[in-house]
Amino acid sequence: MSDRLKLLLAFRKEQSDPDRFYRMLAADTAALVGRYRNLKGARVVDVGSGPGDLAEAFRIQGAWAVAVDPDWKEMHCRDRALMLAVLADGRMLPFADATFQVTCSSNVLEHTDEPASLLRELVRITEPGGIVFFNYTAWLSPWGGHETAPWHYLGGHWAARRYERVHRRPPKNVLGKNLFPLGVGEVLDMARGLERSGLVQIQDAFPRYLPPWTRPLVKVAGLREILTWNMAVVLVRSDRQER
């Protein structure tokens, strides 16, 4: 069984055993990012880090990694000490231009109402030649509604009400509050806009959890919104500075 298939199947445990799932996901993400840039000794930031699993996975790969999250409770939801953690909004990062060699944001973009602002900040703090890696869950994918899926296909607000009725508690991810309907084509347009501005080059774009032969899905409008599931994009920072 491939690592990607294992991750896809592991989604069944996201709610019941989140610690195990997110540590597995973090290790796989760090290994994936390491294919695009040697992580040993690299300055890395994970924006939207939660309790810091991905930053820790980067450190295991030899990187100097910083965890950033805007939510204190999310950062401290595990009974362990955080290393090199910063409480900050990803749309206004407290770092100078070109601070990091790798900037990463995993499964965060769909949780902000200003995804373009988050991407521009990731690009800004990446040094020339460095990479920006991000992935997110597309709204029309089977997991687009997160814990309310697949009922989000009948409407995000209806799905949230159903979840609360069945589980007797509201979902963690609420449409319009901390979950937003983000598409594949929409984000590709954002990346192309950054490329046209001369700030980055798009190095890769692919379904995050699916096998390599599914890569052509990204080019098929409409179908990609449903079948891509989770979209990953890799950008390379150019020498041009934003004005």
Side-chain angles (χ1 to χ4, degrees), residues 72-84:
W72 176 269
K73 289 183 179 180
E74 281 295 309
M75 294 180 82
H76 296 84
C77 67
R78 304 259 179 84
D79 186 18
R80 69 177 186 189
L82 273 172
M83 295 175 57
L84 297 174

Side-chain angles (χ1 to χ4, degrees), residues 177-220:
K177 181 181 178 181
N178 58 359
L179 180 63
F180 301 89
L182 198 59
V184 173
E186 181 182 358
V187 172
L188 287 176
D189 284 344
M190 292 178 196
R192 290 176 186 132
L194 290 168
E195 188 172 53
R196 285 192 299 270
S197 73
L199 293 172
V200 302
Q201 290 182 329
I202 300 173
Q203 182 171 351
D204 212 350
F206 56 94
R208 171 70 176 87
Y209 304 138
L210 303 183
W213 58 264
T214 64
R215 281 174 171 265
L217 281 175
V218 173
K219 299 179 181 180
V220 185

Side-chain angles (χ1 to χ4, degrees), residues 46-55 66-70 74-75 82 85-86 108:
D46 175 32
V47 177
S49 64
D53 291 324
L54 183 51
V66 179
V68 176
D69 201 278
E74 281 295 309
M75 294 180 82
L82 273 172
V86 177
V108 174

Side-chain angles (χ1 to χ4, degrees), residues 13-238:
K13 300 291 186 180
E14 187 205 15
Q15 296 295 310
S16 60
D17 191 1
D19 287 3
R20 178 177 176 273
F21 170 75
Y22 282 108
R23 284 179 177 140
M24 176 183 177
L25 179 61
D28 187 82
T29 301
L32 176 59
V33 174
R35 298 174 192 170
Y36 296 93
R37 210 284 183 190
N38 184 3
L39 293 173
K40 190 170 184 179
R43 299 184 305 277
V44 180
V45 63
D46 175 32
V47 177
S49 64
D53 291 324
L54 183 51
E56 181 60 28
F58 281 132
R59 293 184 195 113
I60 292 171
Q61 295 286 336
W64 183 86
V66 179
V68 176
D69 201 278
D71 191 324
W72 176 269
K73 289 183 179 180
E74 281 295 309
M75 294 180 82
H76 296 84
C77 67
R78 304 259 179 84
D79 186 18
R80 69 177 186 189
L82 273 172
M83 295 175 57
L84 297 174
V86 177
L87 187 69
D89 189 323
R91 299 166 297 182
M92 298 177 290
L93 292 168
F95 305 113
D97 296 354
T99 298
F100 297 95
Q101 294 160 326
V102 177
T103 57
C104 182
S105 187
S106 180
N107 294 316
V108 174
L109 212 61
E110 72 268 34
H111 297 292
T112 176
D113 60 347
E114 298 180 24
S117 296
L118 174 58
L119 292 184
R120 292 189 80 87
E121 275 292 88
L122 293 177
V123 171
R124 180 185 67 79
I125 64 172
T126 305
E127 70 174 28
I131 70 164
V132 177
F133 174 91
F134 65 91
N135 66 282
Y136 67 97
T137 301
W139 173 249
L140 290 178
S141 75
W143 192 248
H146 288 50
E147 68 267 46
T148 67
W151 301 102
H152 67 293
Y153 284 124
L154 300 179
H157 297 297
W158 183 88
R161 291 194 298 271
R162 177 194 175 277
Y163 183 94
E164 187 166 5
R165 186 170 64 252
V166 171
H167 298 278
R168 300 187 182 280
R169 66 178 188 276
K172 178 180 178 181
N173 299 285
V174 179
L175 184 67
K177 181 181 178 181
N178 58 359
L179 180 63
F180 301 89
L182 198 59
V184 173
E186 181 182 358
V187 172
L188 287 176
D189 284 344
M190 292 178 196
R192 290 176 186 132
L194 290 168
E195 188 172 53
R196 285 192 299 270
S197 73
L199 293 172
V200 302
Q201 290 182 329
I202 300 173
Q203 182 171 351
D204 212 350
F206 56 94
R208 171 70 176 87
Y209 304 138
L210 303 183
W213 58 264
T214 64
R215 281 174 171 265
L217 281 175
V218 173
K219 299 179 181 180
V220 185
L223 198 61
R224 65 191 176 191
E225 302 295 338
I226 300 171
L227 299 183
T228 297
W229 192 294
N230 190 281
M231 181 73 178
V233 180
V234 182
L235 310 175
V236 178
R237 183 68 160 97
S238 71

